[in-house]
Amino acid sequence: MTVLVFTGSLLGSMALGMPIAYALLVCGVALMVYMDIFDAQIITQNLINGADSFPLMAVPFFMLAGEIMNAGGLAKRIVAFALTLVGHIKGGLGYVTILTSCMLASLSGSAVADAAALGALLVPMMTQAGHDKARAAGLVSAGAVIAPVLPPSIGFVIFGVAGGVSISKLFLAGIVPGILMGVGLCVAWWLYARREDTNRLAKRSTKEVMVAFKDGFWALMLPFIIIFGLRFGMFTPTEAAVVVAVYSLFVATVVYGELKLSDLPALFVRSALTTAVVMLLVAAALVSSWLITVSEISTQIIDLVEPLIDHPTLLLLAMMLLVVIVGTALDMTPTILILTPVLMPIVKQAGIDPVYFGVLFIMNCAIGLITPPVGTVLNVVCGVSNITMEQVVKGVWPFMVAQLIVLFLLVLFPILVTGPARWLGGY
Amino acid sequence: QDIQDRTIKFGYFVNAESPVGHGVRKFAEIVAAKSGGKLKVREFPAAQLGNENQQQSALIAGTQEMAAPGSPQLVGAVKEFGLLDFPYIVSTLPQADALLDGPFGQSLLKTLPAKGIVGLGYFENGFRHVTNSKRPVKGLADLDGLKIRVQLNPVFIDTFRAFKTNPVPLGFGELYTALETKAVDAQENPLPNIVTTKFYEVQKYLSLTGHVYGNNIILMSKKFWDKLSATEQKIISEAMTEAIAYQRKISREQLAKGLDDLKAAGMQIDDVAQSEKDKMREISKPITEKFMTQYDAETVKLFKTELERIQKL
Amino acid sequence: MSRLIDAYFYFLKCLIALFLLGMVILVFGNVALRYLFNSGIIVSEELSRWLFVWLIFLGSCVAMREHGHLGVDMLVKRLPPTAKRACVAFTQLAMLYITYLITIGSWKEVLINWDVVAPASGLSLGYFYSSGVVFGVTTGLVLATDLYRTLSGAIPDDRLGLVRESEEIETLHSIPAEGNDRHPGTPQRAGS
Ligand code: NA
Ligand code: NA
């Protein structure tokens, strides 16, 4: 019954077009009334103290870093470098897109930020070279969702805080699965591009490669700074986020000179506003999550899935299916926030490694950003490349399927996640 | 009837296997037995109900019934609670019991109802010890230059500065990672925290500095307390007295086991000589004296008489 | 009056940008000090968290005015005009009630915590919880205005629930119309 009150009030208010943050609060009020513990202070205590979290400060720092990278020419240089590396092979621009997506993903924490940058830079290039525009936009969209899986990642930060899982371990465990997503895209693109007849670019000389590498060097250093910093002792994940922001600010203003000080106020306002929107959602989710804790919904749900508890793989598949369904309609952050308190007790009960689960969960939420009908990454790519939603949905599906296959493989072979994570010293 | 059906949400911050968790469950058992199952205590370990500030606020508002934070949490509301965490005021467990259960500890509890909270007593968290990843610490000199995370408490910060360490501010939630990555060299906590948070995985050296006796104060919402009948209040108080005795017994039993476990996990454990502890006490004296001038004079007077009394134990 | 309101929200935007800058300086400063000089700013952790909380609640006020909060309006958009208007008004009323709860709840928190001080900075926790009051009052006023304009018909049917200031209509049209899971004017980079 409590489960019905929870889902009914939440989905009901969302269907009315209410912002999800407020829908979560309405859901909180409904739960309080149902449990007969109505008190406005339960809302405010959880809302305000929920926002009061040092680890979550990674969110604004990554937002800021993303803005700076796009405005400051870091993204552009990475594209140029990838172009010299793989631009000349058949369907080369597709591989350029995938390589760039991976490189940018290891700098940025947000799929939407990457989608904006990649869409603006690469869709026109691919179209000019004779690729189908819808397919190009689809590939860019699918590439952008690697960002939350390859560290750094806002998704891991939010999941880590909501589920009480080590953010550093999640970051290190996300590296190989993130790369596998890129590999999956390459296979899908290869299957598609071998039939396509497009202009091929000339092979670049080693010298040209070196020039592009030197130009992009400062940007390309960033992932190494993050991974070494985390692994060998300079900062915590939150601090890594601020280091990324300050470093990209330094590169964009001093090294590349593409960002003027007068551009900064607007950047800061935009990042702060986006942060507020995301974090209000996080804080509001903590209101309903507190009530879920107090109401013991999780025990009811565990009873519900009891028969599956002894079959971790089936259980994982069932949970992943649920996430895919929720992901079709919900953005990443709300999916994480709504499902984490519901799923984590099951994960613990079934003895599934929370870090491993976290990687699959976040990858699944990321894929949700490119599943219709609601996919924020699709919207952004439509916006920057001027095509319709129908077209981009047609273009994205082979790549979406490729990523779902990667996800499925990770469910079947957990060692693909846990093995490299242990090797990297995550645990 | 004198006893009504009531549910008590009891929140605490360490995990369920810690001595505090045992104490809470014992309390729940006794309360259920004494009330014929009418008073139910539900435990919420590991900060499930929110951080310390949130739970303190929730007690005052009456949206949560009970909590057991470390007593330094109350310094923000009643600064005299800071006296309990002065370095080296107690050196043995009987002294600690005598201070907390005696007139001074109880007088602190009496300041709480004015703040909307009722204090029911103190669970044991244990002596706080320093761990680090750099070198064995057997005395004051070995502390020199260690980057250490201490509790966000001015007395602690000044004391550890005087010990020539570099205290750095860091939330407890970030601490494991910071130690793992060696962003911070050292930390100080009681043994149960070191065991349950697995600091032994990322810290090589444990030094039994025992610089502070840490406790968890048991708090009840005054709004809730005032709703209870005299019989119910009596059940709660008596159950808590029993639970406290049990909890401290468990905590002490687990002490030796805790040290063994840490040793087995590969930690090097070093004793700190009494002469070194005396040195540290001397160094911290001017600091504590300075802070005492900011506290209520009556309370400080009682504190000093009590310290004299317990030194003889 | 409307210029005064614009100035207020402009001021809020300046504040949140400054708070973000403050957070960067405090947290980065701490990393640098710890790494280079083995020391740290003691208030850094606490103060940056407070700036963060204020940033979130002030920023959310601005987002409410610019209809930047994340949401799903696929269903409502398909309703006939009258039903749509009723739906939007009902939603706004419900949100108004939520902000009312937040306002009184935070006000009580301010009173409870007024003489409780934060460990590092020594500032009253009342300042921390006031963020909720400012948020509740500001957002409540924005919502009340929107509700009035919805009921009075000041907003045409096709822009219901998307109340925008006229000079910002440009941004409205530059946003793709289909499958839009957020209201126009959402800052382009959401948290994903
Ligand atoms: Na990333
Ligand atoms: Na989707």
Side-chain angles (χ1 to χ4, degrees):
Chain A
M1 186 58 202
T2 329
V3 182
L4 280 182
V5 175
F6 172 74
T7 41
S9 57
L10 182 62
L11 296 181
S13 11
M14 274 167 54
L16 285 174
M18 188 180 286
I20 302 170
Y22 285 82
L24 282 161
L25 295 174
V26 169
C27 167
V29 172
L31 282 171
M32 288 196 302
V33 171
Y34 175 70
M35 289 155 64
D36 198 20
I37 51 168
F38 183 85
D39 194 325
Q41 271 162 282
I42 291 181
I43 295 184
T44 43
Q45 278 157 5
N46 285 288
L47 189 71
I48 301 179
N49 288 296
D52 177 24
S53 153
F54 188 82
L56 285 173
M57 281 169 45
V59 174
F61 296 147
F62 282 138
M63 298 284 176
L64 183 62
E67 294 274 355
I68 293 168
M69 283 176 203
N70 291 346
L74 279 78
K76 199 170 75 188
R77 283 170 174 79
I78 289 176
V79 174
F81 175 57
L83 205 57
T84 62
L85 283 183
V86 291
H88 58 279
I89 47 183
K90 188 168 167 62
L93 277 175
Y95 300 110
V96 170
T97 301
I98 298 165
L99 188 60
T100 311
S101 305
C102 289
M103 290 197 276
L104 204 55
S106 59
L107 305 180
S108 134
S110 148
V112 178
D114 284 16
L118 292 168
L121 293 168
L122 285 162
V123 175
M125 278 172 74
M126 290 182 76
T127 322
Q128 242 167 25
H131 291 285
D132 175 37
K133 194 174 183 185
R135 198 61 84 202
L139 184 64
V140 163
S141 309
V145 302
I146 298 174
V149 182
L150 261 190
S153 152
I154 290 175
F156 282 148
V157 170
I158 291 175
F159 170 74
V161 171
V165 181
S166 156
I167 297 166
S168 305
K169 287 179 184 171
L170 287 166
F171 274 20
L172 293 171
I175 297 175
V176 170
I179 294 170
L180 288 178
M181 286 174 90
V183 173
L185 286 186
C186 282
V187 173
W189 179 253
W190 175 76
L191 287 172
Y192 167 78
R194 63 191 176 143
R195 287 179 275 124
E196 218 191 18
D197 186 33
T198 49
N199 307 333
R200 278 161 84 167
L201 303 168
K203 186 165 169 48
R204 307 298 173 94
S205 67
T206 319
K207 201 179 148 207
E208 283 172 301
V209 176
M210 286 317 291
V211 169
F213 174 71
K214 244 177 80 181
D215 202 26
F217 175 79
W218 289 91
L220 293 165
M221 277 313 290
L222 201 43
F224 295 97
I225 296 178
I226 297 167
I227 291 169
F228 282 90
L230 279 177
R231 184 66 191 83
F232 298 108
M234 285 144 117
F235 33 66
T236 65
T238 310
E239 292 172 344
V242 82
V243 170
V244 171
V246 172
Y247 179 85
S248 30
L249 188 62
F250 170 77
V251 173
T253 51
V254 180
V255 182
Y256 293 159
E258 290 206 10
L259 205 58
K260 289 185 289 296
L261 284 178
S262 58
D263 300 330
L264 289 183
L267 274 182
F268 271 79
V269 171
R270 262 210 308 279
S271 315
L273 268 179
T274 320
T275 300
V277 169
V278 171
M279 283 300 304
L280 187 70
L281 201 61
V282 173
L286 288 167
V287 176
S288 46
S289 139
W290 189 91
L291 287 155
I292 289 176
T293 307
V294 169
S295 72
E296 285 179 319
I297 289 185
S298 52
T299 18
Q300 293 174 23
I301 294 175
I302 287 180
D303 289 346
L304 216 66
V305 299
E306 188 66 57
L308 283 178
I309 286 282
D310 294 327
H311 305 91
T313 310
L314 276 183
L315 184 66
L316 259 178
L317 281 176
M319 289 195 283
M320 288 302 125
L321 188 65
L322 173 71
V323 180
V324 169
I325 294 168
V326 173
T328 58
L330 272 192
D331 204 343
M332 182 161 187
T333 312
T335 312
I336 299 175
L337 292 167
I338 292 169
L339 290 183
T340 301
V342 180
L343 296 181
M344 273 314 272
I346 303 177
V347 168
K348 282 184 188 154
Q349 187 81 20
I352 299 169
D353 177 356
V355 175
Y356 165 66
F357 172 76
V359 171
L360 296 191
F361 181 38
I362 297 304
M363 185 187 283
N364 201 336
C365 291
I367 297 173
L369 292 167
I370 52 169
T371 55
V374 179
T376 313
V377 162
L378 296 180
N379 288 337
V380 171
V381 173
C382 287
V384 294
S385 51
N386 255 324
I387 60 172
T388 67
M389 194 69 176
E390 270 84 15
Q391 284 174 298
V392 78
V393 167
K394 263 186 214 141
V396 81
W397 78 262
F399 310 117
M400 187 181 82
V401 169
Q403 286 174 333
L404 285 170
I405 291 173
V406 171
L407 178 72
F408 187 68
L409 286 176
L410 296 183
V411 173
L412 292 186
F413 306 106
I415 190 75
L416 290 173
V417 182
T418 52
R422 292 220 177 83
W423 184 74
L424 281 162
Y427 55 118
Chain B
Q1 250 294 357
D2 261 0
I3 308 175
Q4 290 183 26
D5 278 317
R6 299 181 196 275
T7 305
I8 295 172
K9 295 190 285 296
F10 196 148
Y12 56 98
F13 303 89
V14 287
N15 65 32
E17 290 78 50
S18 62
V20 172
H22 284 280
V24 172
R25 277 189 297 284
K26 188 73 181 174
F27 172 70
E29 262 171 47
I30 304 170
V31 167
K34 285 189 189 234
S35 66
K38 287 195 165 176
L39 296 179
K40 288 186 229 22
V41 178
R42 284 186 55 199
E43 57 165 335
F44 293 93
Q48 280 178 7
L49 296 184
N51 64 26
E52 283 90 342
N53 281 342
Q54 178 173 349
Q55 294 199 26
Q56 184 175 333
S57 230
L59 292 181
I60 300 168
T63 54
Q64 176 183 337
E65 291 75 26
M66 291 184 78
S71 64
Q73 166 60 23
L74 290 169
V75 171
V78 180
K79 56 178 182 283
E80 286 72 24
F81 268 97
L83 290 165
L84 286 179
D85 280 270
F86 275 8
Y88 293 115
I89 51 169
V90 297
S91 37
T92 66
L93 293 171
Q95 286 181 4
D97 290 350
L99 183 69
L100 292 176
D101 301 339
F104 176 69
Q106 299 305 306
S107 78
L108 284 180
L109 295 183
K110 292 198 183 86
T111 60
L112 291 174
K115 306 285 176 182
I117 316 174
V118 176
L120 296 175
Y122 304 88
F123 277 164
E124 172 166 289
N125 198 359
F127 282 104
R128 302 181 78 88
H129 304 295
V130 172
T131 70
N132 82 95
S133 54
K134 287 224 148 152
R135 54 175 174 258
V137 172
K138 293 178 174 165
L140 189 58
D142 300 324
L143 286 171
D144 201 331
L146 283 183
K147 252 183 283 184
I148 186 168
R149 182 268 180 187
V150 298
Q151 281 189 307
L152 210 49
N153 168 340
V155 181
F156 266 49
I157 289 164
D158 285 6
T159 307
F160 276 87
R161 281 218 174 103
F163 290 166
K164 297 230 173 64
T165 60
N166 298 306
V168 290
L170 200 69
F172 189 76
E174 296 258 289
L175 182 50
Y176 180 91
T177 315
L179 294 170
E180 184 182 30
T181 61
K182 301 197 169 53
V184 173
D185 307 320
Q187 62 89 33
E188 48 82 48
N189 260 297
L191 288 183
N193 294 7
I194 298 173
V195 174
T196 55
T197 352
K198 304 193 172 164
F199 287 143
Y200 54 81
E201 294 176 344
V202 291
Q203 297 270 278
K204 173 84 182 133
Y205 306 102
L206 165 65
S207 325
L208 301 174
T209 47
H211 48 281
V212 164
Y213 175 81
N215 67 77
N216 284 81
I217 184 163
I218 302 140
L219 305 175
M220 179 172 266
S221 162
K222 185 166 181 298
K223 266 195 181 167
F224 180 72
W225 178 257
D226 291 344
K227 268 191 268 179
L228 298 178
S229 69
T231 320
E232 289 170 326
Q233 290 184 347
K234 191 158 164 275
I235 290 176
I236 301 268
S237 306
E238 287 176 359
M240 193 39 90
T241 312
E242 262 183 71
I244 287 173
Y246 174 83
Q247 192 273 343
R248 289 186 192 167
K249 196 173 111 245
I250 290 280
S251 159
R252 283 156 209 193
E253 281 169 9
Q254 288 192 356
L255 217 53
K257 193 184 166 294
L259 281 176
D260 286 343
D261 288 350
L262 292 176
K263 226 176 268 172
M267 273 195 120
Q268 177 182 329
I269 301 174
D270 292 294
D271 255 321
V272 177
Q274 191 55 49
S275 59
E276 289 295 323
K277 290 185 182 173
D278 290 341
K279 263 196 244 169
M280 293 192 221
R281 186 208 313 269
E282 281 313 306
I283 290 176
S284 58
K285 213 158 214 167
I287 297 161
T288 50
E289 290 293 338
K290 182 188 86 188
F291 277 98
M292 272 194 267
T293 59
Q294 303 164 13
Y295 298 152
D296 173 58
E298 278 299 304
T299 315
V300 170
K301 205 175 130 207
L302 178 62
F303 177 64
K304 287 187 164 167
T305 4
E306 279 290 287
L307 282 194
E308 266 173 48
R309 177 175 76 87
I310 65 168
Q311 288 312 319
K312 293 171 196 138
L313 292 173
Chain C
M1 185 63 193
S2 94
R3 280 183 60 194
L4 199 69
I5 296 170
D6 285 343
Y8 174 64
F9 281 95
Y10 181 77
F11 171 68
L12 291 186
K13 282 188 189 179
C14 294
L15 273 186
I16 58 173
L18 285 175
F19 287 176
L20 181 55
L21 181 65
M23 287 161 60
V24 170
I25 293 171
L26 284 169
V27 179
F28 186 76
N30 219 12
V31 177
L33 284 176
R34 194 179 62 221
Y35 206 63
L36 301 175
F37 305 105
N38 261 354
S39 69
I41 320 161
I42 290 296
V43 295
S44 144
E45 202 257 1
E46 186 177 282
L47 197 59
S48 56
R49 277 190 287 113
W50 283 34
L51 289 177
F52 187 34
V53 168
W54 271 92
L55 180 158
I56 293 164
F57 289 108
L58 294 185
S60 294
C61 299
V62 179
M64 178 53 72
R65 185 161 186 254
E66 298 181 354
H67 297 270
H69 283 294
L70 294 167
V72 187
D73 59 359
M74 289 182 298
L75 300 176
V76 182
K77 271 197 304 209
R78 304 215 159 92
L79 292 175
T82 321
K84 187 167 149 192
R85 190 172 295 271
C87 205
V88 169
F90 176 77
T91 309
Q92 285 167 333
L93 201 63
M95 288 165 70
L96 202 53
Y97 174 64
I98 294 289
T99 50
Y100 161 76
L101 290 180
I102 294 174
T103 312
I104 54 163
S106 320
W107 178 242
K108 284 187 191 159
E109 292 297 320
V110 172
L111 297 180
I112 287 178
N113 288 288
W114 191 251
D115 46 8
V116 180
V117 298
S121 63
L123 290 171
S124 159
L125 286 187
Y127 296 119
F128 173 77
Y129 285 105
S130 324
S131 56
V133 180
V134 176
F135 166 77
V137 171
T138 309
T139 306
L141 289 174
V142 171
L143 278 168
T145 318
D146 280 359
L147 178 61
Y148 172 76
R149 293 169 65 185
T150 305
L151 293 176
S152 68
I155 313 157
D157 286 338
D158 58 328
R159 287 185 33 220
L160 259 181
L162 322 168
V163 200
R164 309 278 305 173
E165 302 302 309
S166 57
E167 72 267 25
E168 288 168 35
I169 286 185
E170 293 312 313
T171 20
L172 188 85
H173 291 306
S174 66
I175 300 289
E178 287 149 282
N180 204 352
D181 76 328
R182 25 185 204 161
H183 299 276
T186 308
Q188 275 293 305
R189 289 136 180 80
S192 308

